[in-house]
Amino acid sequence: MACSGEEVTDEESGEESNSMNLMEFSDEILLHILRYIPVSDLVLNVQRVCRKLSVLSLDKSLTHTVILHKNYQVDKGKVKQLIREIGIEIHELNMAGCYWVPGITIDQVTRCKNLMKLNLSGCHLTSLRLSKMLSALQHLRSLAIDVNPGFDASHLSSECKATLSRVLELKQTLYTPSYGVVPCCTSLEKLLLYFEILDRSREGLIISGQLMVGESNVPHYQNLRVFYARLAPGPVNQEVVRLYLAVLSDRTPEKLHAFLISAPGGFAQSCAVKNLLDSMARNVTLDTLQLPRSWMNGSSLLQLLKFSNHVYFSFSRCSLSGSQLVQRVLNGGKDLRSLVSLNLSGCVHCLSPDSLLRKAEDDIDSSIVETLVASCCHLKHLNLSAAHHHSSEGMGKHLCQLLGHLKGLLSLALPVCAVADVSITTTDKPTVQPVANVASQGFGKKVRIGVQTYSRNCLEQGNSKPPSSVFWTLLESLPFLEKLELIGSSFSSAMPRNEPAIRNSLPPCSRAQLVGDAEMAAIGQLAFLQSLTLAQLPNVLTGSGLISIGVQCQRLRTLSLANIGLMGKVMYISALMDMLKQCKCLQDLRLEQPYFSANAQFFQALSHCSSLQRLCIISRSGTLQSDAVMSFMASCLEVIMCHMFTGESLTVCRNLQHSLIRRNQPFPSRSGFLLK
């Protein structure tokens, strides 16, 4: 017995000697591993583990860039300590969205003397605080800030303006009509403008788009290479952006190669805008273009503009025909390997032959898609949503089969009807008798009407490829896809971001009835999937495909589901709860479904999503359980935003909202609670 015991001991000691300690790795390998750890954790935690990690954690290659964006665990004390220890080494600092960090803490940025890139979007910043900060950052070349009501450029010191004169990149979010710091940035090469101005003030006063006296200094665009403007809805935003464009129209920069304006709804052209577009057609060559649809529709602008080395094109909701796409955008089918992103969302005729008699639901011209695929073989991002792209029954000519040749796609947006395969007859698909027909069978045997069940071995069934599934084949050909959107062509959200809400949306496309649980299960092939949006899939019965997605797509971080299955009953709730138990990396969840019951079972399943940060539920005539919400928020400490719009009474919502705010007062970052 003693001998056998000695043998066991020898074996254990042999295993221990063969095992390798992490600290025995070379410095190069350890530095590579430490790159995956946020700098805040390296400085505040890892460097205290041992002497070796203390030295490596402060290596310049790791502390060069500090990203605090969406790092909700970093409070004001940690920010101060972080800047105090490595401030002089930081060249790039991103504090975007750190709304809980007070302004007096942001003042510590002045310690970062070698800072070249600074992002303070969403932070508390006044004119005087900005002036003091920028006066100390003489090496700054890139800046991102918000311009809030009360901003006064006259408060900026001469030292601050000297720093701004050397800035090459500026991102400016406007919450009030103003030029902000643009006139001071005389060397600008890249200008990103976000217009978020409300039509009325908090007091109910109408806001004018005219700039305040003293803020009408002329911006300097002579070195500009990139101009981008994104507008929120409202006439004031359109009025202010015209003032920016008026200056640009006087003298169009010769080096301008990217011009993008994203505006919801109608945006009428002004005389200055027309002059600008005419000047661009004569003097510049573009590789990146996005314009409001009202500027493109019915004009010859696309024929006049010159393009070279195409990189990004967006023609969202423009009346772009198939011939225009081939001849002007795709340059007659020539090699466009440089094109990275193409947005054709809402271009209902872009894949169809030119015909005055054509309807939006008619079949697409596969030769146009073939030209697109052959020309843009290095395409990374493609958006074909919000249109009826119906494929004919020709062999090998289905849209999914053709898109499968774009092996390098990272993001793809398609209408639901585009993935339907009409070659599969109804005899090949499982027949499901409508509930209404089942209920009206007469006085025979009673039939139980309720939620369809799914077998527990549905994961094994989902892994087997359905016969002749073009959608399955497409996703099998795109192994590196990170973002997928499958949205009904007539879907309209009840709470859209940049469009008016439409209560009575159009019915789903008839071909969308051919897309169901099997197609949803095909998404489980995408091992690198990080973002998934599914909307208006009326033929999903049990949602069993969601389980395959949850088990196999372990990198999934963003999930948005809307109007899945029949509208009158949420039939996929069981599968959704089983899916959520597998989503350990999920950070954002958005559910838009009428009659959704946010009960204790749902929140218990949701609590398995340990990384969840944002939750939004939109449910007309839906319900929620207040106790379940409170328990969920107590267990999931990473959640910083919880928005729920249901059919509950205003009293219930107010009481729950006050309880959540009161409980989370010690955590400033957890303040995004809205219940209606």
Side-chain angles (χ1 to χ4, degrees):
M1 295 292 291
C3 181
S4 61
E6 291 175 359
E7 292 176 357
V8 172
T9 305
D10 292 340
E11 290 178 1
E12 291 179 351
S13 61
E15 291 178 359
E16 291 178 0
S17 62
N18 291 331
S19 62
M20 192 170 185
N21 191 299
L22 181 64
M23 294 299 102
E24 296 177 4
F25 287 119
S26 65
D27 290 354
E28 291 77 9
I29 295 178
L30 288 175
L31 284 173
H32 183 76
I33 295 174
L34 294 176
R35 285 193 184 97
Y36 293 92
I37 301 177
V39 178
S40 57
D41 286 338
L42 290 176
V43 176
L44 303 179
N45 300 314
V46 177
Q47 72 153 331
R48 291 174 172 78
V49 173
C50 65
R51 184 177 300 175
K52 185 171 185 177
L53 288 180
S54 176
V55 175
L56 293 177
S57 297
L58 298 180
D59 189 86
K60 292 183 178 181
S61 64
L62 300 178
T63 59
H64 182 278
T65 300
V66 176
I67 300 177
L68 302 180
H69 175 53
K70 293 185 177 180
N71 191 342
Y72 302 105
Q73 304 304 318
V74 177
D75 56 21
K76 60 181 181 180
K78 293 180 179 179
V79 172
K80 289 181 179 179
Q81 183 179 353
L82 182 68
I83 294 178
R84 185 169 58 249
E85 295 198 25
I86 63 169
I88 198 66
E89 305 292 342
I90 301 176
H91 288 189
E92 179 178 346
L93 177 60
N94 186 349
M95 295 183 63
C98 294
Y99 53 86
W100 62 90
V101 178
I104 193 172
T105 302
I106 296 177
D107 289 341
Q108 300 295 315
V109 174
T110 55
R111 293 172 173 262
C112 307
K113 301 295 184 180
N114 295 317
L115 203 59
M116 299 184 66
K117 189 172 184 178
L118 176 62
N119 191 335
L120 295 176
S121 298
C123 296
H124 300 286
L125 210 59
T126 63
S127 307
L128 293 174
R129 177 163 281 126
L130 178 66
S131 178
K132 178 183 177 182
M133 183 186 305
L134 297 186
S135 298
L137 305 178
Q138 299 180 7
H139 300 285
L140 196 67
R141 294 298 180 268
S142 178
L143 176 65
I145 60 170
D146 293 348
V147 177
N148 293 293
F151 180 88
D152 190 350
S154 64
H155 292 163
L156 303 180
S157 65
S158 58
E159 293 82 1
C160 171
K161 292 180 180 180
T163 298
L164 289 172
S165 68
R166 294 185 289 269
V167 168
L168 304 178
E169 298 180 4
L170 175 65
K171 176 187 175 184
Q172 190 170 256
T173 304
L174 296 164
Y175 294 97
T176 187
S178 173
Y179 277 131
V181 298
V182 174
C184 302
C185 302
T186 55
S187 303
L188 269 185
E189 294 182 0
K190 184 177 182 180
L191 177 60
L192 309 177
L193 298 170
Y194 295 79
F195 296 86
E196 299 284 347
I197 309 169
L198 299 177
D199 293 334
R200 292 179 178 272
S201 64
R202 292 184 177 181
E203 295 77 18
L205 302 176
I206 299 177
I207 296 178
S208 171
Q210 296 297 321
L211 298 184
M212 300 293 290
V213 176
E215 293 182 345
S216 58
N217 297 320
V218 178
H220 299 270
Y221 293 144
Q222 59 267 25
N223 298 318
L224 201 64
R225 301 172 63 88
V226 177
F227 182 90
Y228 174 83
R230 191 191 72 182
L231 284 69
V236 177
N237 291 308
Q238 297 183 8
E239 190 176 353
V240 176
V241 77
R242 286 193 183 99
L243 297 175
Y244 280 82
L245 294 176
V247 180
L248 195 61
S249 64
D250 291 339
R251 184 181 177 184
T252 306
E254 296 179 356
K255 297 180 181 180
L256 187 69
H257 66 85
F259 187 78
L260 305 98
I261 296 182
S262 175
F267 185 11
Q269 290 189 37
S270 62
C271 293
V273 169
K274 293 180 180 179
N275 294 335
L276 169 62
L277 297 177
D278 291 341
S279 177
M280 288 173 54
R282 293 191 306 268
N283 303 319
V284 301
T285 300
L286 300 174
D287 58 36
T288 302
L289 177 68
Q290 178 177 353
L291 296 176
R293 57 182 176 182
S294 56
W295 297 9
M296 297 287 294
N297 295 343
S299 70
S300 58
L301 181 62
L302 197 58
Q303 282 72 32
L304 298 176
L305 290 174
K306 296 187 289 291
F307 302 110
S308 176
N309 298 323
H310 309 58
V311 176
Y312 171 88
F313 283 151
S314 177
F315 301 99
S316 179
R317 300 191 181 278
C318 294
S319 56
L320 186 72
S321 66
S323 63
Q324 287 178 315
L325 175 64
V326 172
Q327 297 301 325
R328 293 300 303 153
V329 180
L330 303 181
N331 199 18
K334 296 180 181 179
D335 187 1
L336 293 179
R337 294 170 183 252
S338 59
L339 189 63
V340 175
S341 178
L342 180 60
N343 184 358
L344 299 173
S345 173
C347 299
V348 296
H349 300 294
C350 67
L351 300 182
S352 305
D354 296 347
S355 174
L356 297 176
L357 301 178
R358 185 190 180 278
K359 298 180 181 178
E361 297 81 5
D362 291 345
D363 291 346
I364 63 174
D365 185 350
S366 59
S367 65
I368 297 176
V369 185
E370 290 174 340
T371 303
L372 169 64
V373 171
S375 303
C376 313
C377 56
H378 291 167
L379 204 62
K380 300 293 184 184
H381 311 281
L382 178 62
N383 190 337
L384 295 173
S385 62
H388 296 273
H389 295 315
H390 295 173
S391 300
S392 60
E393 299 184 25
M395 292 297 294
K397 300 295 185 180
H398 194 283
L399 178 63
C400 291
Q401 293 172 317
L402 297 174
L403 294 180
H405 296 288
L406 298 174
K407 306 292 185 181
L409 278 180
L410 298 179
S411 68
L412 177 63
L414 292 173
V416 176
C417 56
V419 306
D421 193 353
V422 294
S423 63
I424 302 179
T425 61
T426 53
T427 57
D428 296 323
K429 296 198 63 96
T431 57
V432 180
Q433 195 172 9
V435 174
N437 295 340
V438 174
S440 59
Q441 289 181 345
F443 295 98
K445 183 178 179 180
K446 293 183 178 179
V447 179
R448 180 181 178 183
I449 302 175
V451 177
Q452 299 286 334
T453 58
Y454 61 91
S455 58
R456 289 293 173 181
N457 64 342
C458 62
L459 180 58
E460 290 76 9
Q461 296 175 2
N463 288 333
S464 59
K465 178 181 177 179
S468 306
S469 173
V470 292
F471 186 55
W472 190 287
T473 303
L474 169 64
L475 299 186
E476 195 174 37
S477 305
L478 306 176
F480 303 109
L481 202 66
E482 297 177 354
K483 182 177 181 180
L484 176 64
E485 294 183 3
L486 199 59
I487 304 175
S489 52
S490 56
F491 172 73
S492 179
S493 173
M495 298 188 68
R497 170 66 177 90
N498 283 331
E499 298 291 342
I502 302 175
R503 179 173 292 274
N504 297 321
S505 59
L506 297 174
C509 175
S510 58
R511 290 205 183 186
Q513 301 289 345
L514 302 175
V515 181
D517 294 295
E519 286 74 17
M520 185 182 289
I523 302 173
Q525 302 175 85
L526 304 175
F528 293 95
L529 190 67
Q530 298 182 19
S531 176
L532 175 63
T533 299
L534 300 174
Q536 203 179 43
L537 279 76
N539 200 38
V540 171
L541 301 179
T542 64
S544 56
L546 292 173
I547 305 176
S548 300
I549 298 172
V551 172
Q552 297 172 256
C553 304
Q554 285 296 302
R555 301 190 182 194
L556 190 65
R557 287 174 170 77
T558 301
L559 176 64
S560 177
L561 303 176
N563 295 2
I564 305 297
L566 298 177
M567 295 295 291
K569 199 172 187 71
V570 186
M571 305 176 70
Y572 64 94
I573 183 65
S574 297
L576 175 62
M577 290 190 293
D578 284 345
M579 174 196 186
L580 293 176
K581 294 175 183 178
Q582 310 295 329
C583 298
K584 305 302 181 184
C585 295
L586 191 66
Q587 296 179 351
D588 299 87
L589 176 62
R590 186 182 190 275
L591 296 175
E592 182 174 340
Q593 189 79 34
Y595 304 100
F596 187 86
S597 177
N599 53 27
Q601 291 81 8
F602 168 75
F603 281 107
Q604 185 177 3
L606 190 60
S607 62
H608 287 80
C609 303
S610 54
S611 301
L612 193 69
Q613 296 179 354
R614 287 165 290 275
L615 171 64
C616 180
I617 298 177
I618 303 170
S619 180
R620 177 170 50 86
S621 303
T623 60
L624 61 85
Q625 292 184 8
S626 300
D627 294 342
V629 176
M630 295 296 293
S631 300
F632 163 73
M633 292 298 297
S635 60
C636 292
L637 300 179
E638 299 290 329
V639 178
I640 53 93
M641 190 204 81
C642 180
H643 290 182
M644 288 187 282
F645 305 89
T646 64
E648 294 290 351
S649 66
L650 188 60
T651 301
V652 171
C653 294
R654 282 179 176 174
N655 291 339
L656 178 56
Q657 184 170 337
H658 291 160
S659 299
L660 288 171
I661 294 174
R662 186 166 54 251
R663 174 178 289 186
N664 292 280
Q665 280 181 347
F667 310 99
S669 62
R670 304 187 82 190
S671 59
F673 305 116
L674 181 60
L675 300 102
K676 291 186 178 181

